Amino acid sequence: EAGVVQSPRYKIIEKKQPVAFWCNPISGHNTLYWYRQNLGQGPELLIRYENEEAVDDSQLPKDRFSAERLKGVDSTLKIQPAELGDSAVYLCASTAYSAGSTGELFFGEGSRLTVL
Amino acid sequence: AQSVTQLDSQVPVFEEAPVELRCNYSSSVSVYLFWYVQYPNQGLQLLLKYLSGSTLVESINGFEAEFNKSQTSFHLRKPSVHISDTAEYFCAVSDTNAGKSTFGDGTTLTVKP
């Protein structure tokens, strides 16, 4: 079974430039998460989708961040414009969430963003 | 609201020594508990989980964790570590009803020869 696929693995951009990250979850997983992991810290939730609906985006900085999950499968996270403080690893995770499921997450390898 | 505190940011140990990585959590609702491991240049992967039942859970590579409800802890232990256990370990809690996971800041385990 293929795992969660993310691209690109690495991205270096100048501040104020736009950047986009793509995630393809495990087949059949209805719930998709974007997390941000700053250096030396644990992952912090940015947004959670159940199918194509964003059910928790309370931590997403909506002035510059946007996300979409068209057709409830793969997802794109965009930052425009990027700031120096956005340098981090952006993690995508998925799970087959339903009432009674355990909440175990399956992660991609992450996209490391460096903003210069 | 949930929170997770990993009490040690870095744990250096010698090969074949025992190790304990400490995790405390707080939550106002029922939770599931997890340990994830992140090897260098790889994504996070599940190491073990506590859902219900026996408070001691084990992984396939010799780690174990014990759920202590009264102390709200879920410490990870291994009696004898290997060089290959060098990685970052994250403790996480998941709301049993809302599907939201909260992570600690991680503990870097470095096993020295």
Short mmCIF file of all heavy atoms in Angstrom, two decimals, chain B residues 7-41:
data_model
loop_
_atom_site.label_atom_id
_atom_site.label_comp_id
_atom_site.label_asym_id
_atom_site.label_seq_id
_atom_site.Cartn_x
_atom_site.Cartn_y
_atom_site.Cartn_z
N LEU B 7 9.01 15.76 28.98
CA LEU B 7 9.81 16.36 30.03
C LEU B 7 11.29 16.48 29.69
O LEU B 7 12.00 17.23 30.34
CB LEU B 7 9.62 15.57 31.32
CG LEU B 7 8.16 15.57 31.80
CD1 LEU B 7 7.95 14.52 32.87
CD2 LEU B 7 7.78 16.94 32.31
N ASP B 8 11.75 15.75 28.70
CA ASP B 8 13.16 15.78 28.33
C ASP B 8 13.28 16.10 26.86
O ASP B 8 12.72 15.39 26.03
CB ASP B 8 13.84 14.44 28.62
CG ASP B 8 13.58 13.97 30.04
OD1 ASP B 8 14.14 14.59 30.96
OD2 ASP B 8 12.79 13.03 30.21
N SER B 9 14.01 17.14 26.50
CA SER B 9 14.16 17.46 25.08
C SER B 9 15.24 16.60 24.43
O SER B 9 15.13 16.29 23.25
CB SER B 9 14.51 18.94 24.91
OG SER B 9 15.72 19.24 25.57
N GLN B 10 16.25 16.20 25.22
CA GLN B 10 17.31 15.36 24.68
C GLN B 10 17.69 14.31 25.71
O GLN B 10 17.83 14.62 26.89
CB GLN B 10 18.53 16.20 24.31
CG GLN B 10 18.25 17.26 23.26
CD GLN B 10 19.50 17.74 22.55
OE1 GLN B 10 20.47 17.01 22.45
NE2 GLN B 10 19.48 18.97 22.09
N VAL B 11 17.85 13.08 25.24
CA VAL B 11 18.26 11.98 26.11
C VAL B 11 19.41 11.24 25.43
O VAL B 11 19.19 10.52 24.45
CB VAL B 11 17.10 11.03 26.39
CG1 VAL B 11 17.58 9.82 27.19
CG2 VAL B 11 15.98 11.74 27.15
N PRO B 12 20.63 11.43 25.92
CA PRO B 12 21.76 10.65 25.40
C PRO B 12 21.99 9.43 26.26
O PRO B 12 21.99 9.53 27.50
CB PRO B 12 22.93 11.64 25.51
CG PRO B 12 22.57 12.52 26.67
CD PRO B 12 21.06 12.50 26.80
N VAL B 13 22.16 8.28 25.65
CA VAL B 13 22.42 7.05 26.40
C VAL B 13 23.44 6.21 25.63
O VAL B 13 23.60 6.37 24.42
CB VAL B 13 21.14 6.21 26.62
CG1 VAL B 13 20.16 6.95 27.51
CG2 VAL B 13 20.50 5.85 25.30
N PHE B 14 24.07 5.31 26.35
CA PHE B 14 24.98 4.37 25.70
C PHE B 14 24.21 3.15 25.22
O PHE B 14 23.17 2.76 25.78
CB PHE B 14 26.11 3.97 26.65
CG PHE B 14 27.11 5.07 26.87
CD1 PHE B 14 27.13 5.80 28.04
CD2 PHE B 14 28.04 5.38 25.88
CE1 PHE B 14 28.06 6.82 28.23
CE2 PHE B 14 28.97 6.39 26.06
CZ PHE B 14 28.97 7.11 27.24
N GLU B 15 24.73 2.55 24.18
CA GLU B 15 24.13 1.34 23.63
C GLU B 15 23.99 0.28 24.71
O GLU B 15 24.86 0.14 25.58
CB GLU B 15 25.01 0.83 22.49
CG GLU B 15 24.36 -0.25 21.63
CD GLU B 15 25.19 -0.60 20.42
OE1 GLU B 15 26.41 -0.29 20.42
OE2 GLU B 15 24.63 -1.16 19.47
N GLU B 16 22.88 -0.43 24.69
CA GLU B 16 22.52 -1.50 25.60
C GLU B 16 22.07 -1.00 26.98
O GLU B 16 21.70 -1.81 27.84
CB GLU B 16 23.64 -2.53 25.74
CG GLU B 16 23.98 -3.24 24.43
CD GLU B 16 25.03 -4.31 24.59
OE1 GLU B 16 25.44 -4.56 25.74
OE2 GLU B 16 25.43 -4.91 23.57
N ALA B 17 22.06 0.29 27.19
CA ALA B 17 21.55 0.84 28.45
C ALA B 17 20.03 0.95 28.36
O ALA B 17 19.46 1.02 27.26
CB ALA B 17 22.16 2.20 28.71
N PRO B 18 19.35 0.99 29.51
CA PRO B 18 17.90 1.22 29.50
C PRO B 18 17.60 2.71 29.30
O PRO B 18 18.45 3.56 29.58
CB PRO B 18 17.46 0.77 30.90
CG PRO B 18 18.67 1.03 31.74
CD PRO B 18 19.86 0.76 30.86
N VAL B 19 16.40 3.00 28.83
CA VAL B 19 16.02 4.38 28.62
C VAL B 19 14.54 4.58 28.95
O VAL B 19 13.73 3.65 28.81
CB VAL B 19 16.30 4.82 27.17
CG1 VAL B 19 15.33 4.15 26.20
CG2 VAL B 19 16.21 6.34 27.02
N GLU B 20 14.22 5.78 29.43
CA GLU B 20 12.83 6.16 29.65
C GLU B 20 12.63 7.56 29.10
O GLU B 20 13.37 8.49 29.44
CB GLU B 20 12.47 6.13 31.14
CG GLU B 20 11.03 6.58 31.40
CD GLU B 20 10.66 6.56 32.87
OE1 GLU B 20 11.10 7.49 33.59
OE2 GLU B 20 9.93 5.66 33.29
N LEU B 21 11.64 7.72 28.26
CA LEU B 21 11.26 9.02 27.72
C LEU B 21 9.92 9.38 28.35
O LEU B 21 8.96 8.63 28.22
CB LEU B 21 11.15 8.98 26.19
CG LEU B 21 12.36 8.41 25.43
CD1 LEU B 21 12.13 8.52 23.94
CD2 LEU B 21 13.63 9.11 25.84
N ARG B 22 9.89 10.54 29.00
CA ARG B 22 8.73 10.86 29.81
C ARG B 22 7.73 11.73 29.08
O ARG B 22 8.11 12.67 28.36
CB ARG B 22 9.17 11.54 31.10
CG ARG B 22 10.03 10.64 31.99
CD ARG B 22 10.48 11.38 33.22
NE ARG B 22 11.41 12.47 32.91
CZ ARG B 22 11.75 13.41 33.77
NH1 ARG B 22 11.23 13.42 34.99
NH2 ARG B 22 12.60 14.35 33.43
N CYS B 23 6.44 11.44 29.31
CA CYS B 23 5.36 12.17 28.67
C CYS B 23 4.22 12.34 29.67
O CYS B 23 3.75 11.36 30.26
CB CYS B 23 4.85 11.43 27.45
SG CYS B 23 3.36 12.13 26.70
N ASN B 24 3.80 13.58 29.86
CA ASN B 24 2.61 13.88 30.64
C ASN B 24 1.60 14.58 29.75
O ASN B 24 1.98 15.32 28.84
CB ASN B 24 2.95 14.76 31.85
CG ASN B 24 3.71 14.00 32.91
OD1 ASN B 24 4.89 14.28 33.15
ND2 ASN B 24 3.05 13.05 33.52
N TYR B 25 0.33 14.38 30.02
CA TYR B 25 -0.69 15.01 29.20
C TYR B 25 -1.79 15.58 30.09
O TYR B 25 -1.90 15.22 31.27
CB TYR B 25 -1.29 14.01 28.21
CG TYR B 25 -2.16 12.96 28.88
CD1 TYR B 25 -3.53 13.14 28.98
CD2 TYR B 25 -1.60 11.81 29.42
CE1 TYR B 25 -4.33 12.21 29.62
CE2 TYR B 25 -2.38 10.87 30.07
CZ TYR B 25 -3.75 11.07 30.16
OH TYR B 25 -4.53 10.14 30.81
N SER B 26 -2.56 16.46 29.52
CA SER B 26 -3.77 16.94 30.19
C SER B 26 -4.88 17.01 29.16
O SER B 26 -4.65 17.34 28.00
CB SER B 26 -3.54 18.30 30.84
OG SER B 26 -3.36 19.29 29.86
N SER B 27 -6.07 16.65 29.61
CA SER B 27 -7.22 16.70 28.72
C SER B 27 -8.49 16.69 29.56
O SER B 27 -8.55 16.04 30.60
CB SER B 27 -7.21 15.50 27.78
OG SER B 27 -8.36 15.50 26.95
N SER B 28 -9.50 17.36 29.06
CA SER B 28 -10.78 17.40 29.75
C SER B 28 -11.72 16.31 29.23
O SER B 28 -12.82 16.14 29.75
CB SER B 28 -11.44 18.78 29.56
OG SER B 28 -11.57 19.07 28.18
N VAL B 29 -11.27 15.57 28.21
CA VAL B 29 -12.08 14.50 27.63
C VAL B 29 -11.24 13.23 27.54
O VAL B 29 -10.03 13.24 27.75
CB VAL B 29 -12.60 14.89 26.24
CG1 VAL B 29 -13.49 16.13 26.32
CG2 VAL B 29 -11.45 15.13 25.27
N SER B 30 -11.91 12.15 27.20
CA SER B 30 -11.20 10.88 27.04
C SER B 30 -10.28 10.96 25.83
O SER B 30 -10.62 11.56 24.81
CB SER B 30 -12.21 9.75 26.83
OG SER B 30 -13.01 9.58 27.98
N VAL B 31 -9.11 10.35 25.97
CA VAL B 31 -8.13 10.41 24.89
C VAL B 31 -7.53 9.03 24.62
O VAL B 31 -7.59 8.13 25.45
CB VAL B 31 -6.98 11.39 25.21
CG1 VAL B 31 -7.48 12.82 25.30
CG2 VAL B 31 -6.26 10.97 26.49
N TYR B 32 -7.01 8.92 23.42
CA TYR B 32 -6.12 7.83 23.09
C TYR B 32 -4.70 8.40 23.16
O TYR B 32 -4.49 9.59 22.92
CB TYR B 32 -6.39 7.29 21.69
CG TYR B 32 -7.76 6.71 21.50
CD1 TYR B 32 -8.54 7.07 20.39
CD2 TYR B 32 -8.30 5.78 22.38
CE1 TYR B 32 -9.80 6.54 20.18
CE2 TYR B 32 -9.56 5.24 22.18
CZ TYR B 32 -10.30 5.63 21.09
OH TYR B 32 -11.55 5.08 20.88
N LEU B 33 -3.73 7.54 23.42
CA LEU B 33 -2.35 7.99 23.59
C LEU B 33 -1.44 7.29 22.60
O LEU B 33 -1.62 6.08 22.33
CB LEU B 33 -1.89 7.72 25.02
CG LEU B 33 -2.65 8.51 26.08
CD1 LEU B 33 -2.51 7.86 27.44
CD2 LEU B 33 -2.14 9.94 26.14
N PHE B 34 -0.49 8.02 22.09
CA PHE B 34 0.39 7.49 21.05
C PHE B 34 1.84 7.92 21.30
O PHE B 34 2.10 8.97 21.88
CB PHE B 34 0.00 8.05 19.67
CG PHE B 34 -1.43 7.79 19.28
CD1 PHE B 34 -2.43 8.65 19.68
CD2 PHE B 34 -1.76 6.71 18.49
CE1 PHE B 34 -3.76 8.43 19.31
CE2 PHE B 34 -3.07 6.47 18.11
CZ PHE B 34 -4.07 7.34 18.53
N TRP B 35 2.75 7.09 20.83
CA TRP B 35 4.12 7.48 20.62
C TRP B 35 4.44 7.30 19.13
O TRP B 35 4.19 6.23 18.56
CB TRP B 35 5.10 6.64 21.45
CG TRP B 35 5.25 7.10 22.86
CD1 TRP B 35 4.61 6.63 23.97
CD2 TRP B 35 6.11 8.15 23.33
NE1 TRP B 35 5.02 7.30 25.09
CE2 TRP B 35 5.95 8.24 24.73
CE3 TRP B 35 7.03 9.01 22.71
CZ2 TRP B 35 6.64 9.16 25.53
CZ3 TRP B 35 7.72 9.92 23.49
CH2 TRP B 35 7.52 9.98 24.88
N TYR B 36 4.96 8.38 18.55
CA TYR B 36 5.43 8.33 17.18
C TYR B 36 6.95 8.49 17.19
O TYR B 36 7.52 9.16 18.05
CB TYR B 36 4.84 9.48 16.35
CG TYR B 36 3.36 9.35 16.04
CD1 TYR B 36 2.40 9.78 16.95
CD2 TYR B 36 2.93 8.79 14.84
CE1 TYR B 36 1.04 9.66 16.67
CE2 TYR B 36 1.57 8.67 14.55
CZ TYR B 36 0.65 9.11 15.46
OH TYR B 36 -0.69 8.99 15.18
N VAL B 37 7.60 7.92 16.18
CA VAL B 37 9.05 8.03 16.05
C VAL B 37 9.38 8.63 14.68
O VAL B 37 8.70 8.34 13.69
CB VAL B 37 9.75 6.66 16.24
CG1 VAL B 37 9.27 5.64 15.21
CG2 VAL B 37 11.27 6.81 16.17
N GLN B 38 10.39 9.48 14.68
CA GLN B 38 10.83 10.10 13.43
C GLN B 38 12.32 9.86 13.28
O GLN B 38 13.13 10.48 13.99
CB GLN B 38 10.52 11.60 13.45
CG GLN B 38 10.81 12.31 12.14
CD GLN B 38 10.34 13.76 12.16
OE1 GLN B 38 10.32 14.41 13.20
NE2 GLN B 38 9.96 14.28 11.01
N TYR B 39 12.68 8.97 12.38
CA TYR B 39 14.09 8.72 12.09
C TYR B 39 14.61 9.84 11.19
O TYR B 39 13.83 10.50 10.50
CB TYR B 39 14.27 7.35 11.45
CG TYR B 39 13.84 6.21 12.34
CD1 TYR B 39 12.64 5.53 12.11
CD2 TYR B 39 14.61 5.84 13.44
CE1 TYR B 39 12.23 4.50 12.94
CE2 TYR B 39 14.21 4.81 14.28
CZ TYR B 39 13.02 4.16 14.02
OH TYR B 39 12.61 3.15 14.86
N PRO B 40 15.91 10.05 11.18
CA PRO B 40 16.47 11.15 10.37
C PRO B 40 16.00 11.11 8.92
O PRO B 40 16.01 10.06 8.28
CB PRO B 40 17.97 10.91 10.49
CG PRO B 40 18.14 10.23 11.81
CD PRO B 40 16.94 9.35 11.96
N ASN B 41 15.52 12.25 8.46
CA ASN B 41 15.08 12.43 7.08
C ASN B 41 13.88 11.55 6.69
O ASN B 41 13.70 11.24 5.51
CB ASN B 41 16.23 12.17 6.10
CG ASN B 41 17.36 13.16 6.29
OD1 ASN B 41 17.12 14.36 6.40
ND2 ASN B 41 18.58 12.66 6.37
#
